[in-house]
Amino acid sequence: MTITTLLLLLVSCEKEIDIHYHEIDPMVVIEGRVNNEGTEVSVRRSRSVNDSVQGPSLPGAIISIHDNGEDHRLTYDPKDGCYRSDLIGVAGHNYRMTVDFEGKRYEASSTMPAHSTILSTNFYWFTIVDERLLVDVLWATDPDPEQRNYFLYRVDRHSSHPHITPKMQKRAYRWSVFDDRGNPPGMVFRDIHCMMERTALDDEEDNWEHILYDGDTIMIQLHTIDLPAYDYFRTLFAGQGQGANPINNVSGGCLGYFMASNITHADTVVLNLNEVKEFDLPGIIDSFGGK
């Protein structure tokens, strides 16, 4: 949902609910990525819904990526537990992943979409009643306006602020998926909600990981992805905190995903909150020729 759509405020009575989760045996979790920057796959085991610590990536898997009749065998890197290959993805190619692990085979395929280019990203303050919301407005090209296209954005930040721990910085600051419906022809627009100004001013410990501080380095990447990858991340985003598993595109009885994506990066920005302007939608549209 963008900030130009209706904002709904929901108010309800509070009631304490005791939820009982049924523990199940850990499952294999496979996360595979082929893109225009490289190829890597991780193999882990699922964790309890009450466990916030991600388990280590596991050795011992035999992993191959098949591309137009050619097989690329991945090797295990014990430093970070990833399996890697020097394969660079090409738009239009269909890639098939096979993972043999502990006597079972897992398979998935994904087609790499055409490349999108980030045209600009800019921070703005958007006023909601008497509060201000910091948003990052992203404009990019739509690689094929005649077809439905799918995107995943990821915002990372590096911070020297003492409140931001290394563990916080390893996680994406913000991410989500969207498609090109309702966007200007040949372009896509997304406003990325960052933080309320009041949250930053109060600076409470519970909100530290959600706050962007002056001097933080902001990095944004945009992936073009296919429909199965979009469905995985869409349902993952919708189920955050609910204990629900997303739609899986890997066969064989595991969790996870495999995607071939095309990545574009925005210019790195060092945040200066005093220089952030007020959101002006007509002015932003005019800057792109009124499209």
Side-chain angles (χ1 to χ4, degrees):
M1 178 181 295
T2 66
I3 54 178
T4 53
T5 57
L6 181 63
L7 298 174
L8 301 178
L9 300 179
L10 303 179
V11 180
S12 62
C13 297
E14 293 185 2
K15 182 178 180 180
E16 184 175 343
I17 301 175
D18 187 15
I19 300 176
H20 297 281
Y21 294 103
H22 297 285
E23 294 290 340
I24 62 174
D25 293 335
M27 297 180 64
V28 172
V29 181
I30 298 172
E31 297 178 329
R33 295 170 289 276
V34 176
N35 55 57
N36 52 316
E37 298 179 356
T39 298
E40 65 178 34
V41 177
S42 66
V43 179
R44 295 185 173 88
R45 297 197 191 281
S46 61
R47 62 181 188 269
S48 167
V49 70
N50 298 312
D51 185 1
S52 61
V53 179
Q54 182 171 264
S57 188
L58 304 170
I62 299 174
I63 303 176
S64 293
I65 304 294
H66 310 272
D67 171 26
N68 289 343
E70 185 176 356
D71 290 348
H72 299 264
R73 179 77 172 267
L74 279 66
T75 57
Y76 181 73
D77 184 351
K79 291 182 179 179
D80 57 11
C82 271
Y83 296 80
R84 291 193 171 87
S85 165
D86 58 2
L87 172 64
I88 301 296
V90 177
H93 284 211
N94 180 266
Y95 297 93
R96 184 169 63 91
M97 175 185 70
T98 60
V99 179
D100 293 296
F101 183 64
E102 295 182 341
K104 294 185 178 180
R105 167 161 285 201
Y106 307 95
E107 297 186 63
S109 64
S110 181
T111 300
M112 183 170 169
H115 186 73
S116 172
T117 299
I118 293 178
L119 301 173
S120 72
T121 61
N122 292 286
F123 283 102
Y124 296 94
W125 289 114
F126 181 81
T127 301
I128 305 173
V129 189
D130 58 351
E131 296 284 346
R132 295 204 301 175
L133 169 68
L134 184 69
V135 298
D136 193 335
V137 176
L138 179 153
W139 285 91
T141 58
D142 193 345
D144 188 355
E146 301 302 318
Q147 302 291 329
R148 177 76 67 241
N149 296 293
Y150 305 93
F151 303 86
L152 179 150
Y153 70 78
R154 175 180 172 128
V155 181
D156 290 287
R157 54 98 176 269
H158 288 165
S159 180
S160 60
H161 197 283
H163 291 168
I164 306 303
T165 66
K167 183 178 179 180
M168 292 179 188
Q169 299 191 69
K170 287 182 179 179
R171 297 192 294 263
Y173 171 72
R174 292 287 184 266
W175 72 270
S176 191
V177 292
F178 64 100
D179 61 40
D180 57 0
R181 286 177 291 184
N183 283 270
M187 302 178 68
V188 290
F189 159 88
R190 200 67 182 172
D191 51 291
I192 302 169
H193 298 193
C194 296
M195 65 177 184
M196 300 301 296
E197 184 179 34
R198 173 52 55 190
T199 300
L201 293 173
D202 291 344
D203 200 23
E204 297 178 349
E205 183 174 356
D206 288 346
N207 293 319
W208 284 349
E209 66 178 312
H210 305 298
I211 297 174
L212 293 179
Y213 294 95
D214 273 322
D216 283 3
T217 300
I218 310 301
M219 297 149 294
I220 299 176
Q221 56 183 259
L222 181 69
H223 299 242
T224 49
I225 59 179
D226 63 4
L227 179 58
Y230 170 79
D231 284 337
Y232 173 86
F233 287 104
R234 175 182 58 82
T235 53
L236 177 65
F237 188 88
Q240 286 185 115
Q242 307 301 317
N245 292 325
I247 296 174
N248 186 5
N249 70 343
V250 183
S251 67
C254 69
L255 302 176
Y257 69 91
F258 175 63
M259 73 172 181
S261 68
N262 228 319
I263 307 176
T264 180
H265 297 267
D267 292 336
T268 300
V269 173
V270 177
L271 183 62
N272 185 337
L273 292 172
N274 291 326
E275 294 183 354
V276 176
K277 299 178 180 179
E278 291 291 329
F279 184 83
D280 173 24
L281 182 59
I284 293 172
I285 294 176
D286 287 344
S287 70
F288 285 91
K291 295 181 179 181

Short mmCIF file of all heavy atoms in Angstrom, two decimals, residues 41-74:
data_model
loop_
_atom_site.label_atom_id
_atom_site.label_comp_id
_atom_site.label_asym_id
_atom_site.label_seq_id
_atom_site.Cartn_x
_atom_site.Cartn_y
_atom_site.Cartn_z
N VAL A 41 23.40 -20.55 -2.60
CA VAL A 41 22.33 -21.34 -2.01
C VAL A 41 22.71 -21.62 -0.56
O VAL A 41 23.87 -21.91 -0.26
CB VAL A 41 22.11 -22.67 -2.76
CG1 VAL A 41 21.04 -23.52 -2.07
CG2 VAL A 41 21.74 -22.42 -4.22
N SER A 42 21.74 -21.55 0.33
CA SER A 42 21.96 -21.94 1.72
C SER A 42 21.01 -23.08 2.08
O SER A 42 19.90 -23.16 1.54
CB SER A 42 21.74 -20.77 2.68
OG SER A 42 20.39 -20.35 2.67
N VAL A 43 21.47 -23.97 2.96
CA VAL A 43 20.67 -25.10 3.43
C VAL A 43 20.68 -25.06 4.95
O VAL A 43 21.75 -25.16 5.58
CB VAL A 43 21.24 -26.44 2.92
CG1 VAL A 43 20.40 -27.61 3.43
CG2 VAL A 43 21.30 -26.45 1.39
N ARG A 44 19.51 -24.91 5.54
CA ARG A 44 19.40 -24.83 7.00
C ARG A 44 18.26 -25.72 7.47
O ARG A 44 17.63 -26.40 6.69
CB ARG A 44 19.15 -23.38 7.44
CG ARG A 44 20.29 -22.42 7.15
CD ARG A 44 19.99 -21.04 7.74
NE ARG A 44 21.11 -20.14 7.63
CZ ARG A 44 21.35 -19.36 6.59
NH1 ARG A 44 20.53 -19.36 5.55
NH2 ARG A 44 22.41 -18.56 6.57
N ARG A 45 18.04 -25.69 8.78
CA ARG A 45 16.86 -26.34 9.34
C ARG A 45 15.96 -25.26 9.93
O ARG A 45 16.43 -24.21 10.41
CB ARG A 45 17.25 -27.35 10.42
CG ARG A 45 18.08 -28.49 9.88
CD ARG A 45 18.10 -29.67 10.85
NE ARG A 45 19.11 -30.65 10.46
CZ ARG A 45 18.95 -31.54 9.48
NH1 ARG A 45 17.82 -31.57 8.81
NH2 ARG A 45 19.92 -32.37 9.17
N SER A 46 14.67 -25.52 9.88
CA SER A 46 13.71 -24.56 10.43
C SER A 46 13.87 -24.47 11.93
O SER A 46 14.40 -25.38 12.58
CB SER A 46 12.28 -24.98 10.06
OG SER A 46 11.99 -26.26 10.62
N ARG A 47 13.41 -23.37 12.49
CA ARG A 47 13.49 -23.16 13.92
C ARG A 47 12.09 -22.99 14.50
O ARG A 47 11.13 -22.73 13.79
CB ARG A 47 14.35 -21.94 14.24
CG ARG A 47 13.80 -20.63 13.70
CD ARG A 47 14.73 -19.47 14.04
NE ARG A 47 14.19 -18.17 13.71
CZ ARG A 47 14.38 -17.55 12.56
NH1 ARG A 47 15.11 -18.13 11.63
NH2 ARG A 47 13.84 -16.36 12.33
N SER A 48 11.99 -23.12 15.80
CA SER A 48 10.73 -22.94 16.50
C SER A 48 10.24 -21.52 16.32
O SER A 48 11.03 -20.57 16.19
CB SER A 48 10.90 -23.24 17.99
OG SER A 48 9.77 -22.79 18.72
N VAL A 49 8.92 -21.33 16.31
CA VAL A 49 8.34 -20.00 16.18
C VAL A 49 8.75 -19.11 17.34
O VAL A 49 8.75 -17.88 17.24
CB VAL A 49 6.80 -20.10 16.09
CG1 VAL A 49 6.20 -20.53 17.43
CG2 VAL A 49 6.20 -18.77 15.62
N ASN A 50 9.15 -19.73 18.46
CA ASN A 50 9.58 -18.95 19.63
C ASN A 50 11.09 -18.71 19.67
O ASN A 50 11.60 -18.10 20.59
CB ASN A 50 9.16 -19.68 20.93
CG ASN A 50 7.67 -19.82 21.05
OD1 ASN A 50 6.93 -18.85 20.86
ND2 ASN A 50 7.20 -21.01 21.38
N ASP A 51 11.80 -19.21 18.66
CA ASP A 51 13.26 -19.09 18.62
C ASP A 51 13.65 -18.03 17.60
O ASP A 51 13.40 -18.18 16.41
CB ASP A 51 13.87 -20.44 18.24
CG ASP A 51 15.40 -20.42 18.29
OD1 ASP A 51 15.97 -19.36 18.63
OD2 ASP A 51 16.01 -21.46 17.97
N SER A 52 14.29 -16.96 18.06
CA SER A 52 14.65 -15.85 17.18
C SER A 52 16.03 -16.03 16.55
O SER A 52 16.44 -15.22 15.73
CB SER A 52 14.64 -14.53 17.96
OG SER A 52 15.59 -14.55 19.02
N VAL A 53 16.75 -17.09 16.93
CA VAL A 53 18.11 -17.30 16.42
C VAL A 53 18.07 -18.24 15.22
O VAL A 53 17.59 -19.37 15.32
CB VAL A 53 19.03 -17.88 17.51
CG1 VAL A 53 20.42 -18.12 16.95
CG2 VAL A 53 19.07 -16.96 18.72
N GLN A 54 18.56 -17.77 14.08
CA GLN A 54 18.59 -18.60 12.88
C GLN A 54 19.71 -19.61 12.97
O GLN A 54 20.83 -19.30 13.34
CB GLN A 54 18.80 -17.71 11.65
CG GLN A 54 18.81 -18.48 10.34
CD GLN A 54 18.80 -17.57 9.15
OE1 GLN A 54 17.76 -17.28 8.58
NE2 GLN A 54 19.97 -17.10 8.74
N GLY A 55 19.39 -20.86 12.63
CA GLY A 55 20.37 -21.92 12.72
C GLY A 55 21.45 -21.78 11.65
O GLY A 55 21.29 -21.06 10.67
N PRO A 56 22.57 -22.49 11.83
CA PRO A 56 23.67 -22.38 10.88
C PRO A 56 23.34 -23.07 9.56
O PRO A 56 22.51 -23.98 9.50
CB PRO A 56 24.82 -23.09 11.60
CG PRO A 56 24.13 -24.08 12.49
CD PRO A 56 22.86 -23.42 12.93
N SER A 57 23.99 -22.62 8.49
CA SER A 57 23.87 -23.31 7.21
C SER A 57 24.65 -24.63 7.30
O SER A 57 25.69 -24.71 7.95
CB SER A 57 24.43 -22.44 6.10
OG SER A 57 24.15 -23.01 4.84
N LEU A 58 24.14 -25.65 6.64
CA LEU A 58 24.63 -27.01 6.83
C LEU A 58 25.49 -27.48 5.67
O LEU A 58 25.13 -27.26 4.50
CB LEU A 58 23.45 -27.96 7.00
CG LEU A 58 22.47 -27.60 8.13
CD1 LEU A 58 21.22 -28.47 8.03
CD2 LEU A 58 23.14 -27.76 9.48
N PRO A 59 26.63 -28.15 5.93
CA PRO A 59 27.43 -28.74 4.86
C PRO A 59 26.83 -30.08 4.44
O PRO A 59 25.88 -30.57 5.03
CB PRO A 59 28.79 -28.94 5.54
CG PRO A 59 28.44 -29.19 6.99
CD PRO A 59 27.23 -28.33 7.27
N GLY A 60 27.42 -30.64 3.40
CA GLY A 60 27.04 -32.00 3.00
C GLY A 60 26.04 -32.09 1.88
O GLY A 60 25.71 -33.20 1.42
N ALA A 61 25.53 -30.98 1.39
CA ALA A 61 24.57 -31.02 0.28
C ALA A 61 25.31 -31.03 -1.06
O ALA A 61 26.39 -30.47 -1.19
CB ALA A 61 23.64 -29.82 0.35
N ILE A 62 24.72 -31.68 -2.03
CA ILE A 62 25.21 -31.65 -3.41
C ILE A 62 24.23 -30.79 -4.21
O ILE A 62 23.05 -31.16 -4.38
CB ILE A 62 25.31 -33.06 -4.01
CG1 ILE A 62 26.28 -33.91 -3.19
CG2 ILE A 62 25.74 -33.00 -5.47
CD1 ILE A 62 26.33 -35.37 -3.62
N ILE A 63 24.69 -29.65 -4.68
CA ILE A 63 23.80 -28.65 -5.29
C ILE A 63 24.31 -28.32 -6.69
O ILE A 63 25.49 -28.04 -6.89
CB ILE A 63 23.74 -27.37 -4.44
CG1 ILE A 63 23.30 -27.70 -3.00
CG2 ILE A 63 22.81 -26.35 -5.07
CD1 ILE A 63 23.30 -26.50 -2.08
N SER A 64 23.39 -28.33 -7.64
CA SER A 64 23.70 -27.95 -9.01
C SER A 64 22.63 -27.01 -9.54
O SER A 64 21.45 -27.12 -9.18
CB SER A 64 23.79 -29.18 -9.92
OG SER A 64 24.89 -29.99 -9.58
N ILE A 65 23.06 -26.09 -10.39
CA ILE A 65 22.15 -25.23 -11.13
C ILE A 65 22.28 -25.60 -12.61
O ILE A 65 23.38 -25.63 -13.16
CB ILE A 65 22.49 -23.74 -10.95
CG1 ILE A 65 22.50 -23.36 -9.46
CG2 ILE A 65 21.50 -22.88 -11.73
CD1 ILE A 65 21.16 -23.44 -8.78
N HIS A 66 21.16 -25.89 -13.24
CA HIS A 66 21.14 -26.32 -14.63
C HIS A 66 20.66 -25.16 -15.50
O HIS A 66 19.59 -24.60 -15.27
CB HIS A 66 20.23 -27.54 -14.79
CG HIS A 66 20.51 -28.62 -13.79
ND1 HIS A 66 21.43 -29.62 -14.00
CD2 HIS A 66 20.01 -28.83 -12.54
CE1 HIS A 66 21.47 -30.42 -12.95
NE2 HIS A 66 20.62 -29.96 -12.04
N ASP A 67 21.47 -24.82 -16.52
CA ASP A 67 21.20 -23.67 -17.37
C ASP A 67 21.45 -24.05 -18.83
O ASP A 67 22.59 -24.24 -19.24
CB ASP A 67 22.12 -22.50 -16.97
CG ASP A 67 22.06 -21.34 -17.94
OD1 ASP A 67 21.02 -21.17 -18.61
OD2 ASP A 67 23.05 -20.59 -18.02
N ASN A 68 20.34 -24.17 -19.60
CA ASN A 68 20.45 -24.46 -21.04
C ASN A 68 21.36 -25.66 -21.32
O ASN A 68 22.24 -25.62 -22.19
CB ASN A 68 20.97 -23.24 -21.78
CG ASN A 68 19.93 -22.13 -21.86
OD1 ASN A 68 18.75 -22.37 -21.66
ND2 ASN A 68 20.37 -20.93 -22.16
N GLY A 69 21.16 -26.74 -20.58
CA GLY A 69 21.91 -27.96 -20.81
C GLY A 69 23.26 -28.02 -20.12
O GLY A 69 23.95 -29.04 -20.19
N GLU A 70 23.65 -26.96 -19.45
CA GLU A 70 24.94 -26.93 -18.75
C GLU A 70 24.71 -26.98 -17.24
O GLU A 70 23.85 -26.27 -16.71
CB GLU A 70 25.71 -25.67 -19.12
CG GLU A 70 27.11 -25.61 -18.54
CD GLU A 70 27.90 -24.40 -19.01
OE1 GLU A 70 27.37 -23.64 -19.84
OE2 GLU A 70 29.04 -24.21 -18.53
N ASP A 71 25.48 -27.82 -16.55
CA ASP A 71 25.36 -27.95 -15.10
C ASP A 71 26.47 -27.17 -14.40
O ASP A 71 27.64 -27.26 -14.78
CB ASP A 71 25.45 -29.43 -14.68
CG ASP A 71 24.22 -30.21 -15.10
OD1 ASP A 71 23.22 -29.58 -15.50
OD2 ASP A 71 24.27 -31.45 -15.04
N HIS A 72 26.08 -26.44 -13.37
CA HIS A 72 27.04 -25.68 -12.57
C HIS A 72 26.98 -26.22 -11.14
O HIS A 72 25.96 -26.05 -10.45
CB HIS A 72 26.70 -24.19 -12.59
CG HIS A 72 26.74 -23.58 -13.96
ND1 HIS A 72 27.84 -22.92 -14.45
CD2 HIS A 72 25.80 -23.54 -14.94
CE1 HIS A 72 27.59 -22.49 -15.68
NE2 HIS A 72 26.36 -22.86 -15.99
N ARG A 73 28.03 -26.83 -10.69
CA ARG A 73 28.10 -27.42 -9.35
C ARG A 73 28.54 -26.34 -8.35
O ARG A 73 29.52 -25.63 -8.58
CB ARG A 73 29.10 -28.57 -9.34
CG ARG A 73 29.28 -29.26 -8.00
CD ARG A 73 28.13 -30.18 -7.67
NE ARG A 73 28.44 -30.96 -6.47
CZ ARG A 73 29.01 -32.17 -6.51
NH1 ARG A 73 29.31 -32.73 -7.67
NH2 ARG A 73 29.26 -32.82 -5.39
N LEU A 74 27.83 -26.22 -7.26
CA LEU A 74 28.15 -25.23 -6.24
C LEU A 74 29.08 -25.83 -5.21
O LEU A 74 29.00 -27.02 -4.89
CB LEU A 74 26.88 -24.71 -5.56
CG LEU A 74 26.10 -23.61 -6.31
CD1 LEU A 74 25.51 -24.13 -7.63
CD2 LEU A 74 24.99 -23.02 -5.43
#
